[in-house]
Amino acid sequence: MLYVSSDLHGYPLHSFLRLLDKAHFSDADDLIILGDVIDRNGDGGIEMLRWMLQQINVRMILGNHETMLLSCRFLFDAITNESLAQFDQDKMELLSAWMMNGAEPTLKALKTLFHEDEDTAREILEYLEDAPLYEIAEVPGRRYLLTHSGLGSFTPEKRLSHYAPDDFLWNRPKMTDEYFRKTTTVFGHTPTDHYGAEYAGRMLKTSTWINIDTGAAKGAGWHPMLLRLEDEAPFYADR
């Protein structure tokens, strides 16, 4: 079976593992996380990423928060007189943008990890650099486009390779937006309660797309979800 989740944002690993157990997730299954593992809460997702590195059946799509981290990778280079001289206004703006979007717990946890286990810390950065912007998934009778935020500037004739990265990372679809007819688009990024209180904590499905960001970024009392693609069955954390 193929499962997807999204926007964990520092959600505790032990709680996420309970959610996997609830769905009877096993070594025979696969899990794709649609970005934004990091930032906002807890340890900023570093424990989750360390766990993901060890799982051969778990992979991720790049989210906008991982993109902001990678734009600030210069923070983890050796500090020299030369590097300090190159810390210009552009880098300050990149760091400021990331900090305003909840970077503090991730930055703090990564700093600790670099001190305790630099090899693993750098492996995490390389893992994020290798994450794709989207993936096409096929299960019996169904076809899906998996991406972080849907598709900005959508037209059905445009090849996926012709979209800009921001179209996959920062888009916020309207309820009336429609995507491909024969391929369902699955994404997160915009918490479902953005579309109305009646959708809070629950997936939102239209005729062409499914939003699975159930608001874990908000912290205590909010949880991510799992979606099993074979039958589009949702699994929610116990409340």
Side-chain angles (χ1 to χ4, degrees):
M1 297 292 184
L2 178 56
Y3 294 82
V4 291
S5 188
S6 189
D7 294 84
L8 306 183
H9 282 298
Y11 191 71
L13 176 60
H14 66 273
S15 297
F16 188 72
L17 294 179
R18 285 202 302 268
L19 178 58
L20 291 179
D21 287 342
K22 185 175 184 179
H24 304 293
F25 182 82
S26 74
D27 291 342
D29 301 316
D30 290 286
L31 169 66
I32 303 175
I33 299 177
L34 308 183
D36 284 8
V37 173
I38 66 168
D39 293 348
R40 302 288 189 197
N41 302 294
D43 74 336
I46 297 306
E47 184 182 15
M48 181 74 68
L49 285 170
R50 294 185 72 173
W51 174 78
M52 291 168 63
L53 286 175
Q54 305 303 317
Q55 313 306 310
I56 61 173
N57 59 338
V58 178
R59 56 193 185 273
M60 73 175 289
I61 302 295
L62 194 68
N64 62 301
H65 282 257
E66 287 82 23
T67 302
M68 286 187 285
L69 184 160
L70 292 173
S71 75
C72 295
R73 184 159 183 173
F74 55 84
L75 294 172
F76 311 106
D77 295 334
I79 297 177
T80 64
N81 289 336
E82 182 180 358
S83 67
L84 288 173
Q86 294 174 350
F87 199 88
D88 56 15
Q89 184 64 30
D90 288 343
K91 289 181 178 179
M92 286 293 294
E93 291 177 358
L94 290 170
L95 177 57
S96 178
W98 185 29
M99 293 299 292
M100 287 190 297
N101 280 277
E104 184 175 356
T106 302
L107 193 53
K108 183 182 297 184
L110 261 181
K111 179 181 177 181
T112 299
L113 185 57
F114 263 92
H115 178 72
E116 297 175 349
D117 186 353
E118 182 176 343
D119 288 345
T120 298
R122 295 204 177 278
E123 190 176 357
I124 285 174
L125 295 179
E126 291 170 2
Y127 179 75
L128 297 180
E129 286 183 334
D130 289 341
L133 289 167
Y134 65 88
E135 182 170 331
I136 299 295
E138 296 192 16
V139 299
R142 300 176 186 267
R143 189 172 190 265
Y144 296 92
L145 168 64
L146 308 177
T147 185
H148 178 62
S149 71
L151 273 175
S153 306
F154 174 76
T155 58
E157 301 83 11
K158 188 190 296 187
R159 294 176 179 269
L160 290 175
S161 59
H162 292 173
Y163 285 88
D166 282 359
D167 290 329
F168 297 101
L169 296 168
W170 292 95
N171 184 52
R172 294 199 185 276
K174 299 184 180 72
M175 184 78 85
T176 54
D177 285 354
E178 294 187 349
Y179 292 140
F180 303 104
R181 285 296 176 183
K182 296 182 180 180
T183 299
T184 301
T185 303
V186 183
F187 57 87
H189 183 61
T190 303
T192 52
D193 68 330
H194 172 84
Y195 298 92
E198 66 270 31
Y199 303 113
R202 291 291 182 268
M203 79 175 186
L204 173 56
K205 181 179 179 180
T206 73
S207 61
T208 64
W209 53 259
I210 302 173
N211 183 339
I212 61 169
D213 179 358
T214 47
K218 300 175 189 289
W222 294 84
H223 308 273
M225 64 164 288
L226 290 173
L227 176 64
R228 186 170 61 206
L229 294 184
E230 279 78 2
D231 56 2
E232 295 186 353
F235 296 87
Y236 301 103
D238 294 331
R239 295 170 183 271

